[in-house]
Amino acid sequence: MESDYDELDRRLVHALQIDGRAPFSTIAEVLGVSDRTVARRYARLRSAGAVRVLGGVDPAALGAILWFLRVRCAPAAALPVAEALARRPDTSWVSLSSGGTEITCVVRTESEADSEALLLAKLPRTPRVEGVTAHSLLHSFYGGPDNLVGKLGSLNAAAVERLRPPPVRHRRGPVRLDDGDRKLLGLLATDGRAGFEQLAAATGWSPTTVRRRMTELREQGLLYLDIDVDWRMFGVNTRTLLWLSVAPAHLEEAGQALAGHPEIAFAAATTGPTNLYASVVCTNQQELYRYLTTRVAALPAITNLETAPVIKTVKQAANQA
């Protein structure tokens, strides 16, 4: 619950959202507390599962395809199927919605063959799966490196600027990964604050090589830092999925407008009968109603809106089961 956390916890999490690998000494200076206090708070929050810094990978940099799946099941089968999907290394954000009869999840496929195997062969033949709808991600308006904590956090502009890491110069070109890269990314996916010595031991590289390769992967747009957080820390208690139909001429405008809403954790343009998807977080159902009837109602050229309240999140980040 929100009462389990205090303002220092929230300020610390906001600092980590700005730079997940910022030294505790820098965070302590900005927050006006000691290094020991920051280290102790972070250790407590991490051990409780309330916050976790992780290294995210942009699938587009590897040529992968992201799919949003809606899997309709018999009520008794929904949780076992969701848990099976959660065990797959290529899934994230596996949730039960629509009263527990629908599973929603994000699936990363590396090729068209992978997509066909899952979407046309494996899932439809799973016992008690009654239907599958797949929406391919075309463009992300908010999400990935953009984390909702950046909207909810309370650090002022001066503190944000003090913590913000130097901008990364972007380099074009294909990204090729070797076994060392995969080991590096695998460890960062579980602990984005892992030290260079620990990363060097895992990869067989020197700490200097690890530092250089991390910089290269960030410059190539593949690696970014993200955080998982217990959203109750910020008073968020409900998550609802929105599937919207928008006239094509207004899709970009509507998507950009959604991205700026403080309630939006993720927004993207997709294929399918609806072409705009969003994940909304609110403190309660009354706030959700207010949001839908004001901000969403004001979006241009919305022709249809479907809401799906999330009743259970089975898996969040891709490396969690």
Side-chain angles (χ1 to χ4, degrees):
M1 297 176 61
E2 184 180 5
S3 59
D4 294 336
Y5 309 105
D6 62 19
E7 182 60 18
L8 181 56
D9 292 330
R10 289 184 281 274
R11 287 163 56 84
L12 171 56
V13 169
H14 191 185
L16 292 170
Q17 183 272 326
I18 298 165
D19 183 2
R21 292 184 67 88
F24 285 152
S25 57
T26 302
I27 296 175
E29 178 187 337
V30 170
L31 300 187
V33 296
S34 68
D35 298 13
R36 173 180 283 187
T37 296
V38 169
R40 186 173 63 247
R41 285 294 182 109
Y42 175 72
R44 178 176 63 81
L45 292 172
R46 190 172 189 274
S47 64
V51 68
R52 185 173 63 112
V53 177
L54 54 87
V57 172
D58 181 358
L62 294 174
I65 303 168
L66 281 185
W67 294 91
F68 297 96
L69 299 189
R70 304 181 71 177
V71 183
R72 295 183 304 281
C73 295
L79 184 57
V81 172
E83 290 173 340
L85 282 169
R87 288 192 290 270
R88 294 177 60 101
D90 55 359
T91 62
S92 59
W93 292 103
V94 180
S95 304
L96 292 177
S97 61
S98 302
T101 60
E102 182 174 275
I103 303 162
T104 60
C105 72
V106 178
V107 178
R108 182 190 70 255
T109 57
E110 304 297 334
S111 65
E112 289 187 8
D114 289 344
S115 301
E116 290 177 5
L118 178 66
L119 304 178
L120 300 181
K122 196 161 190 177
L123 265 177
R125 295 176 185 171
T126 302
R128 307 191 77 180
V129 168
E130 299 174 348
V132 180
T133 304
H135 306 249
S136 176
L137 185 147
L138 298 177
H139 177 75
S140 178
F141 295 107
Y142 192 85
D146 301 315
N147 191 288
L148 185 62
V149 171
K151 297 178 179 180
L152 302 179
S154 60
L155 294 179
N156 61 31
V160 170
E161 192 58 35
R162 174 73 177 86
L163 288 161
R164 195 187 308 278
V168 175
R169 64 187 183 98
H170 293 287
R171 301 190 299 173
R172 296 186 180 273
V175 181
R176 294 184 176 88
L177 301 180
D178 60 21
D179 288 343
D181 291 325
R182 294 184 181 91
K183 291 175 182 175
L184 173 66
L185 294 172
L187 185 53
L188 288 171
T190 59
D191 183 5
R193 289 189 64 88
F196 290 115
E197 294 288 347
Q198 182 183 356
L199 295 168
T203 57
W205 299 337
S206 69
T208 300
T209 300
V210 168
R211 186 188 296 268
R212 175 180 55 79
R213 188 55 178 153
M214 286 179 63
T215 299
E216 290 173 348
L217 292 174
R218 293 188 68 196
E219 289 175 344
Q220 291 168 330
L222 186 139
L223 174 66
Y224 63 90
L225 291 176
D226 196 5
I227 59 172
D228 273 344
V229 63
D230 181 350
W231 291 111
R232 296 175 300 174
M233 186 183 305
F234 292 92
V236 171
N237 296 301
T238 66
R239 185 164 72 93
T240 303
L241 309 181
L242 303 185
W243 306 88
L244 305 98
S245 296
V246 184
H250 295 276
L251 181 57
E252 176 72 15
E253 181 186 357
Q256 292 291 354
L258 269 182
H261 294 176
E263 297 88 352
I264 292 293
F266 185 88
T270 71
T271 61
T274 58
N275 57 356
L276 185 58
Y277 164 84
S279 176
V280 178
V281 294
C282 295
T283 55
N284 52 45
Q285 296 296 331
Q286 290 74 27
E287 282 296 308
L288 174 64
Y289 176 77
R290 179 203 57 78
Y291 174 66
L292 294 175
T293 55
T294 56
R295 290 181 181 273
V296 174
L299 292 175
I302 299 294
T303 58
N304 187 58
L305 167 65
E306 183 180 352
T307 59
V310 172
I311 63 172
K312 181 179 176 63
T313 299
V314 182
K315 178 183 182 182
Q316 294 192 61
N319 58 293
Q320 288 182 291

